[in-house]
Amino acid sequence: MIESWVTALPTILVVIAALSLPGISIIAVGWGIRDIRALLVAPAVSLAVVGAAAVIAPWLGMTWGVLPVVLLTAFGAAVAFLLRRGIAAGAFVKDDSRVHLTAALTVSVVFFAIAGQLIWAFGSPDSIAQRFDNIVHLNSVQYAVTTGNASAFNIGATSDIAFYPNAWHATAALASVITGASIPVAVNAANIVIAALVWPTSVMALSSWLAGARSVSLIASGLLSAGFGAFPALFFNWGTLYPNAAGYAMVPATMATMVSLTRSRGIALVRDGVLLVLLAGGTFLAHPNALIASIALGGPLILAILGQRALATRTRRDAMLLAGSFFGLAFLAGVLWTVGRTSAEHSSWVPWQSTAQAVGEALLVAPRGLGPAWVAAALMIPAAVVICRHPSRWVVAVPLAVATLLFVLSSGTPRGFFLRELITNPWYNDSNRLAALLPIGAIPIAALGAVALVKYVRSKWPSSPIARAAWTLGVAAACLAAFALVVAGPNVRGVLIQVREAHTALPGAPLLSPDERALLERLDDVVPADALVMGSPRTGTSLAFALSERAVTEMHVYGTRSQGEDYLRQNLVNIETDPLVCEYVRETGVDFVLDFGDRDIMDNVDLARFYDGMQNLEPNDALALIDSEGDDARLFQIVGC
């Protein structure tokens, strides 16, 4: 397995560069390289730049590739430089070099840990998740590569949607364009880097604001980011929700930048505000409900910080700032929750447990019956003590309180409950999407607990040279033991096993069996480049586009179909006796038919019947069997029309 992943290393390195260099360039120019809190949001900024560059590129007449990213990065850096000029030199943060070294080592260790988890779970670099949503995601990436356009206003064409979140698709497409990697390899590389780089640094940035920019909080938050099954691993099995994973990875960075605004003044406030706009826009381009999550968790956090300040200073300025922020956030939330509402068809997910069970799962960050996150749960105890002794620190618990409310409403209250429908509808009332927010709220509290625990133990520790050496060795051993429990603990292990099962192709696999994939991957040998292929997307035939760049009539299960396509999928089997079949074949331009039997990706017999007329076909004078693999994967050419 390791040997096969070596071949994917160039693609992974390209994604690392794409999701680090743009953000680092902008942050270095506008904030300086000594501000660790700013540097930690650089990967999220990079993802925002990639998504925005993909939208802007077509307007400038440019095809998708490196150049649009470089130009937008240069523009962002120029804006940051101009805003920096108005800030006094003494106002720039200059963190201790030891903090920088700690952060760098932590990010490196966590990157390899999460990447290792996913490499094991994915199995091979070109594996694909045998899940429903993967049909449109793989085809959308291929569509971006084929058309040279990864804009949010273009990739939705795969399912007849005018706007579709594009930051994740743009990243995977960029990797494929630069390296020539296949779509599955580019997709897996993008997922690994987003999960192993963007997510840990993002949550470390938030924790540094809430628990302090200290080595202990950075180590704790970074290591804990590898230990939750609810995020990011869950999204590589449930769905699969790749765009949502990219968006959620950015949520803590967006929240961290919101917090930074409460500390900024003058031109620095404008500079940080521009950064927030970029991050919020990028979060939206990753997934709209990720932006809503940023407001849901970050809005109350900001109001708590400003409210605490207003009570402490009792000045008119702070009171007005609190009032203005409240009404501004309330208006923004009202707009987002109204625009972001989903239809009854797509928000039909039902609760799976009682309210009491949901509360317990949320507090232990163990949703969906996962094993408790023991290290995080244990660290929350000293954090609770700190909050009780120093009430001013209670704001660190606000994001988890909100995430708990959202999860409890979705998973532990009845369908039709008005608060459930009012609040969680933008997430499709889907408990899995809301369970994934729990780690974002839990990690900063656990980091605060780690800081308090280390501070307390160290205050009681002897100060002799031998004791200091023992302290260093003890801390290293404790970190190693805790990290081992985190990355291989029951909370994350169960989900990684599910991800591995989802990426394992066996005979009868729900999306593509090994035989079916083998046939698709050699289509370019037998099907002309300008041919049009038809088949039931519910059996995986649509992936002929993603895997062999052959045009298909349906790139997704959803979307509008022409009258001719509707007729053919019900009546193609009658091609020798029904003259309308040939009429519609000529009208639609269909040349080939892929027949993968009648297995359905959603195991929905009623929906599978819509394709009865083009499944389990037999060769005849009008349908020539051109190629086949195994018993069920067959390619026919229409020759009788």
Side-chain angles (χ1 to χ4, degrees):
M1 183 179 75
I2 297 300
E3 291 79 6
S4 65
W5 280 96
V6 170
T7 63
L9 186 58
T11 309
I12 295 174
L13 291 175
V14 164
V15 181
I16 291 173
L19 297 186
S20 58
L21 296 181
I24 290 174
S25 300
I26 292 171
I27 295 299
V29 171
W31 284 259
I33 60 173
R34 297 290 298 275
D35 188 343
I36 191 63
R37 286 167 167 163
L39 276 177
L40 285 170
V41 304
V45 171
S46 297
L47 186 52
V49 168
V50 170
V55 172
I56 295 170
W59 299 343
L60 301 178
M62 301 172 65
T63 57
W64 183 231
V66 175
L67 186 58
V69 178
V70 170
L71 291 179
L72 186 57
T73 300
F75 176 77
V79 171
F81 175 76
L82 292 175
L83 292 174
R84 175 178 180 162
R85 295 186 65 184
I87 302 173
F92 285 93
V93 176
K94 296 181 179 179
D95 290 306
D96 191 289
S97 59
R98 289 174 296 180
V99 174
H100 279 261
L101 179 60
T102 299
L105 290 174
T106 301
V107 170
S108 300
V109 170
V110 174
F111 178 90
F112 284 108
I114 296 179
Q117 289 174 331
L118 294 181
I119 285 173
W120 177 84
F122 292 163
S124 65
D126 63 347
S127 66
I128 64 172
Q130 301 284 330
R131 295 294 182 263
F132 170 78
D133 286 327
N134 217 15
I135 300 171
V136 70
H137 292 321
L138 293 176
N139 278 337
S140 294
V141 175
Q142 181 65 269
Y143 190 69
V145 173
T146 301
T147 62
N149 184 343
S151 169
F153 299 100
N154 181 59
I155 61 171
T158 54
S159 49
D160 301 323
I161 298 175
F163 177 92
Y164 197 79
N166 76 312
W168 175 85
H169 300 87
T171 302
L174 184 63
S176 181
V177 167
I178 294 174
T179 66
S182 69
I183 299 304
V185 171
V187 163
N188 287 333
N191 285 334
I192 287 171
V193 178
I194 288 170
L197 178 64
V198 180
W199 157 243
T201 54
S202 184
V203 80
M204 287 170 67
L206 178 61
S207 296
S208 70
W209 280 106
L210 298 182
R214 305 172 183 175
S215 295
V216 175
S217 69
L218 294 173
I219 293 172
S221 56
L223 300 188
L224 287 171
S225 69
F228 293 98
F231 188 80
L234 176 61
F235 283 3
F236 302 132
N237 172 52
W238 177 255
T240 50
L241 307 181
Y242 298 150
N244 236 144
Y248 278 17
M250 299 177 69
V251 167
T254 304
M255 293 170 60
T257 308
M258 293 170 69
V259 175
S260 76
L261 286 177
T262 66
R263 316 285 179 87
S264 303
R265 296 289 184 272
I267 295 298
L269 180 64
V270 177
R271 178 199 60 184
D272 293 349
V274 171
L275 181 65
L276 177 59
V277 170
L278 174 60
L279 278 170
T283 304
F284 176 78
L285 287 174
H287 203 292
N289 72 30
L291 178 60
I292 296 176
S294 300
I295 300 301
L297 274 62
L301 174 63
I302 298 307
L303 294 178
I305 293 172
L306 295 178
Q308 194 175 70
R309 181 191 298 172
L311 287 173
T313 63
R314 298 188 180 278
T315 62
R316 184 176 181 181
R317 178 186 178 280
D318 286 332
M320 292 180 64
L321 179 60
L322 173 62
S325 298
F326 174 80
F327 287 111
L329 286 168
F331 174 77
L332 179 60
V335 171
L336 290 175
W337 260 259
T338 299
V339 175
R341 297 196 69 76
T342 55
S343 66
E345 177 188 0
H346 292 99
S347 58
S348 58
W349 301 104
V350 297
W352 66 56
Q353 60 190 341
S354 69
T355 303
Q357 288 172 317
V359 171
E361 286 191 348
L363 295 179
L364 290 175
V365 200
R368 304 176 82 247
L370 301 176
W374 291 117
V375 175
L379 290 175
M380 288 185 196
I381 297 173
V385 173
V386 170
I387 292 171
C388 290
R389 296 184 61 183
H390 305 282
S392 62
R393 304 304 301 271
W394 69 273
V395 296
V396 74
V398 171
L400 180 59
V402 176
T404 297
L405 173 64
L406 293 170
F407 175 71
V408 170
L409 283 174
S410 63
S411 70
T413 61
R415 184 178 179 182
F417 179 46
F418 80 99
L419 276 181
R420 183 178 192 266
E421 181 61 30
L422 176 68
I423 297 177
T424 69
N425 175 275
W427 291 274
Y428 310 97
N429 294 327
D430 180 6
S431 304
N432 293 283
R433 297 177 197 255
L434 293 169
L437 296 177
L438 292 171
I440 297 174
I443 290 175
I445 301 178
L448 176 63
V451 171
L453 183 62
V454 170
K455 183 178 180 181
Y456 174 78
V457 174
R458 189 157 196 173
S459 69
K460 305 297 183 181
W461 202 265
S463 58
S464 66
I466 295 177
R468 286 196 295 269
W471 168 263
T472 302
L473 291 174
V475 169
C479 287
L480 184 61
F483 191 43
L485 181 58
V486 164
V487 300
N491 191 279
V492 70
R493 187 173 63 245
V495 178
L496 289 173
I497 291 172
Q498 294 172 1
V499 175
R500 187 174 176 87
E501 292 172 350
H503 285 76
T504 301
L506 298 172
L511 182 55
L512 283 183
S513 69
D515 287 345
E516 291 164 348
R517 181 164 181 178
L519 178 59
L520 291 185
E521 289 184 334
R522 63 172 182 260
L523 282 186
D524 53 359
D525 294 331
V526 294
V527 175
D530 59 350
L532 180 62
V533 180
M534 195 172 195
S536 169
R538 306 189 69 86
T539 64
T541 63
S542 292
L543 290 176
F545 181 60
L547 299 180
S548 289
E549 296 185 66
R550 291 303 179 260
V552 294
T553 55
E554 300 178 67
M555 287 191 280
H556 188 26
V557 170
Y558 298 125
T560 58
R561 310 291 182 250
S562 69
Q563 179 180 345
E565 290 168 351
D566 274 337
Y567 193 85
L568 290 177
R569 65 185 186 179
Q570 285 288 308
N571 298 281
L572 183 66
V573 67
N574 302 319
I575 189 170
E576 288 188 299
T577 59
D578 184 350
L580 276 178
V581 171
C582 275
E583 181 178 328
Y584 282 126
V585 164
R586 289 188 291 269
E587 179 183 299
T588 58
V590 173
D591 302 293
F592 293 85
V593 180
L594 279 167
D595 181 4
F596 288 173
D598 55 8
R599 182 199 68 254
D600 182 68
I601 181 63
M602 298 289 285
D603 198 23
N604 189 317
V605 176
D606 292 333
L607 293 176
R609 288 196 183 111
F610 282 106
Y611 295 89
D612 276 352
M614 53 189 300
Q615 297 176 151
N616 300 314
L617 300 171
E618 294 295 336
N620 54 47
D621 291 341
L623 291 173
L625 182 62
I626 301 300
D627 196 3
S628 65
E629 186 76 27
D631 296 330
D632 295 321
R634 296 178 297 167
L635 172 69
F636 292 90
Q637 183 175 9
I638 300 175
V639 296
C641 295

